[in-house]
Amino acid sequence: MRKEPSQARSRATVEAIIEAGARVLSDLGWAGFTTNKVAEAAGASIGSLYQYFPDKLSLVEAIRRRHFDQVLAVISDAAADEKPLRQFARELTRGMIAAHSIHPTLHQVLLDEAPGDRGSRAAHAAFQSRYLEHYAAAVAQYRRRTKDTETVTRVLSSAVEGVIHNAARRGMLEAPELQKQLVDLICAYLSGQHRAAPR
């Protein structure tokens, strides 16, 4: 960002621009994403947009970071407190679905179309580190006997991420059976019930 908003009104303007940017990027993809369209969707002047974002790449970075923050909040909240495993799995599943339902195609556009720079790579690396830390906390809480926390953490996070992202691409995020199956998958994996009996 060119500058940080300091007053409530300017913060509301920036949030409206970022939200409108996410909507335009999700609906039109990178090819149709312009600062003029974002300003129009936000009900703001193009001058107000440029006051905070020097170009559309900086706006995409703000959209990307907001999505990262939403996902981290979901995992952190779900893993907080010593709640039963199934409750954790339900909260994680519902929160992830909610975070990806707002603009279902946004994440795909951010991954596959929107260009990034050194700053976006650094932001993604920082996100991945915190993302895995939250999952590791859940693994430590619910699968205490594991000898390889890092591998279990990566498998669990990849499984949840894969199911959510594929469901978003196919318009299946709201399917009740998908939610149930993901909850069952998380519970089975963290409880160790997925492991086959020795032969």
Side-chain angles (χ1 to χ4, degrees):
M1 291 180 65
R2 179 166 274 159
K3 71 174 187 177
E4 291 289 337
S6 57
Q7 299 179 344
R9 184 176 177 181
S10 57
R11 286 195 295 270
T13 297
V14 168
E15 180 56 31
I17 290 170
I18 294 173
E19 170 58 27
R23 191 165 62 249
V24 170
L25 192 60
S26 178
D27 292 345
L28 303 180
W30 176 249
F33 183 74
T34 67
T35 51
N36 283 323
K37 287 177 182 174
V38 172
E40 182 181 354
S45 69
I46 192 67
S48 294
L49 186 151
Y50 282 130
Q51 185 178 358
Y52 297 101
F53 303 100
D55 52 39
K56 67 180 187 177
L57 278 175
S58 63
L59 179 52
V60 167
E61 285 311 304
I63 294 167
R64 185 178 274 123
R65 287 168 192 257
R66 187 179 73 158
H67 180 67
F68 289 166
D69 289 344
Q70 290 168 341
V71 169
L72 289 172
V74 166
I75 304 169
S76 176
D77 290 347
D81 308 320
E82 292 192 8
K83 60 192 67 166
L85 173 56
R86 185 157 289 271
Q87 182 183 345
F88 159 76
R90 285 188 184 129
E91 289 183 13
L92 178 63
T93 298
R94 289 171 183 164
M96 287 295 229
I97 287 172
H100 289 79
S101 293
I102 304 168
H103 304 295
T105 59
L106 176 62
H107 200 273
Q108 183 179 357
V109 174
L110 288 173
L111 283 175
D112 301 336
E113 300 178 26
D117 57 16
R118 188 174 300 172
S120 66
R121 289 192 295 273
H124 190 261
F127 162 74
Q128 280 291 329
S129 176
R130 292 178 61 198
Y131 180 73
L132 291 173
E133 283 175 9
H134 289 311
Y135 270 108
V139 169
Q141 183 172 337
Y142 297 110
R143 196 167 161 182
R144 294 185 176 94
R145 295 181 181 179
T146 186
K147 295 179 180 178
D148 192 348
T149 299
E150 182 179 354
T151 299
V152 173
T153 297
R154 289 186 179 278
V155 169
L156 176 64
S157 62
S158 296
V160 174
E161 188 177 310
V163 170
I164 294 294
H165 288 171
N166 281 322
R169 285 185 171 105
R170 296 170 184 170
M172 295 175 59
L173 281 172
E174 300 301 324
E177 186 59 25
L178 180 135
Q179 296 183 37
K180 178 184 179 301
Q181 291 295 328
L182 183 54
V183 169
D184 288 348
L185 182 152
I186 294 167
C187 289
Y189 188 60
L190 286 179
S191 66
Q193 293 175 7
H194 69 289
R195 286 176 285 193
R199 295 179 182 178

